[in-house]
C-alpha cells in the first residue's frame, strides 16, 4: 500500500485506542508512511484532554515501511467552559517487536506528548489567549525489542514524552515530562539506528513573540519539570543494541514572564 493510517481520536473527552498487530506468519508492507494515532479529544466542560493508546506489535511477523513510522498518543488541552486553559496529558504509545518478528523503516517516531490549552484563533486567524494557560503532562512512550525480535531504523529512531505548558495572559501553564523508554530483552534481539533520541522534557508556558503576529506577554511563566528516561538492556551476548548517535534529554525549563527574554511563537502553536 502507499500511505497507511490507523487513527482513533476518541470523542466527548474520551481518549481513542489504536492498534496494529502483526502475528506469526503475517506481513505488512507500506511503500510510503505508516501512522498510528490514539489521540485524546478535549472535554467540553473542563478543556482537559488525555491521549489514548497507540500500540504497534510485531509478534513473529514481518513489517517493511518504505518511509517513516509515526506512533502517537498525544493529549492537547483546549479552553474550558469558564475560559481557562485545559490540561493536556499524553497517553501511551508503544512499539514492540518480539518472538523473531522484524520491522524495518526509514524513520521511526514514538510519541506521547502533552500540551496545555488556552489559545484559540479568531476568524481572522489571530491568536486569542486565555488568562490562565493549561498545564502539559507527558505520557509514556516506549520501544521494546524482545526474544529474537529485530528492529531497524535506517535513518533515525525517536522516543519522546514531552510536556509543555501553554501561555496565559496572567498565569502560564506548567510543563512536566513523562517517561521515554527503550528496552532490548532476551536472546537474539537486535535494535539498530544510526541516530537515536529519547526525550522527556518539561517546558513551562510563558511570553512569546513573532515578527509576523506580534508579542504576547505573560505576567507569570509556568514551571518546568523533567521526566524519566529509561534504557534497559537485559539481553545476552547474542543480542545487539546499536543506537548510533544517542541523545538523551529530560531537561526542565520554566516559561518566560513579562520583562524576561521572550520565546518564539512556536511555543503557543506547537
Amino acid at each position: 500500500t502507499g500511505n497507511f493510517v490507523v487513527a482513533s481520536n476518541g470523542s466527548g473527552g474520551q481518549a481513542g485506542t489504536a492498534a496494529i498487530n502483526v502475528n506469526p506468519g503475517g506481513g505488512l508492507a507500506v511503500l510510503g508512511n505508516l501512522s498510528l494515532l490514539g489521540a485524546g479529544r478535549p472535554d467540553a466542560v473542563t478543556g482537559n484532554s488525555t491521549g489514548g493508546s497507540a500500540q504497534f506489535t510485531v509478534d513473529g511477523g514481518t513489517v517493511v515501511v518504505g518511509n517513516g513510522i509515526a506512533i502517537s498518543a498525544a493529549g492537547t488541552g483546549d479552553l474550558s467552559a469558564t475560559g481557562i486553559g485545559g490540561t493536556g496529558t499524553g497517553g501511551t504509545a508503544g512499539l514492540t517487536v518480539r518472538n523473531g518478528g522484524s520491522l524495518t523503516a526509514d524513520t521511526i517516531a514514538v510519541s506521547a506528548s502533552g500540551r496545555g490549552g488556552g489559545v484559540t484563533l479568531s476568524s481572522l486567524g489571530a491568536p486569542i489567549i486565555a488568562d490562565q494557560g493549561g498545564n502539559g503532562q507527558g505520557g509514556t512512550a516506549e520501544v521494546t525489542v524482545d526474544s529474537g525480535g529485530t528492529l531497524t531504523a535506517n535513518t533515525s529512531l525517536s522516543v519522546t514524552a514531552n510536556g509543555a505548558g501553554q501561555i496565559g495572559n496572567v498565569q502560564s501553564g506548567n510543563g512536566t515530562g513523562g517517561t521515554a523508554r527503550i528496552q532490548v530483552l532476551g536472546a537474539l534481539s537486535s535494535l539498530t539506528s544510526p541516530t537515536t533520541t529519547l526525550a522527556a522534557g518539561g517546558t513551562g508556558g510563558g511570553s512569546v513573540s513573532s515578527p509576523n503576529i506580534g508579542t504576547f506577554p505573560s505576567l507569570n511563566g509556568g514551571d518546568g519539570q523533567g521526566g524519566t528516561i529509561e534504557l534497559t538492556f537485559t539481553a545476552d551476548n547474542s543480542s545487539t543494541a546499536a543506537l548510533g548517535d544517542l541523545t538523551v534529554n529530560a531537561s526542565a525549563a520554566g516559561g518566560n514572564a513579562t520583562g524576561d527574554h521572550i520565546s518564539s511563537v512556536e511555543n503557543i502553536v506547537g
Side-chain angles (χ1 to χ4, degrees):
T1 182
N3 294 323
F4 186 57
V5 179
V6 176
S8 176
N9 293 324
S11 62
Q14 299 299 311
T17 298
I20 298 175
N21 298 293
V22 181
N23 296 320
L28 175 63
V30 178
L31 297 178
N33 298 307
L34 184 151
S35 300
L36 180 61
L37 311 173
R41 286 290 180 89
D43 182 84
V45 176
T46 65
N48 297 337
S49 173
T50 299
S53 174
Q55 299 289 335
F56 192 171
T57 302
V58 184
D59 189 356
T62 301
V63 176
V64 177
V65 177
N67 292 331
I69 295 175
I71 303 170
S72 176
T76 301
D78 201 347
L79 279 177
S80 73
T82 58
I84 66 174
T87 297
T89 303
T92 301
L95 171 60
T96 301
V97 184
R98 64 192 181 202
N99 295 330
S102 68
L103 182 149
T104 301
D106 189 16
T107 61
I108 300 172
V110 181
S111 175
S113 62
R115 176 177 289 276
V119 176
T120 57
L121 298 177
S122 72
S123 60
L124 299 177
I128 301 173
I129 298 171
D131 284 342
Q132 181 175 330
N135 299 324
Q137 168 71 59
T140 299
E142 58 187 354
V143 169
T144 301
V145 184
D146 190 10
S147 301
T150 299
L151 175 61
T152 303
N154 294 324
T155 301
S156 64
L157 169 65
S158 66
V159 184
T160 57
N162 296 317
Q166 187 60 272
I167 182 178
N169 291 321
V170 177
Q171 176 64 61
S172 292
N174 302 325
T176 305
T179 299
R181 176 186 300 124
I182 290 178
Q183 303 178 103
V184 180
L185 313 172
L188 299 173
S189 300
S190 174
L191 189 158
T192 303
S193 175
T195 303
T196 303
T197 301
L198 290 101
T203 304
S207 304
V208 296
S209 182
S210 165
N212 297 322
I213 64 173
T215 297
F216 299 87
S218 176
L219 289 177
N220 298 282
D223 296 332
Q225 180 176 329
T228 301
I229 301 291
E230 297 180 4
L231 281 167
T232 302
F233 303 98
T234 60
D236 62 20
N237 59 11
S238 67
S239 298
T240 60
L243 302 182
D245 293 330
L246 176 63
T247 300
V248 176
N249 183 359
S251 62
N256 302 307
T258 302
D260 293 337
H261 172 74
I262 297 179
S263 303
S264 63
V265 75
E266 283 78 7
N267 286 339
I268 67 170
V269 298

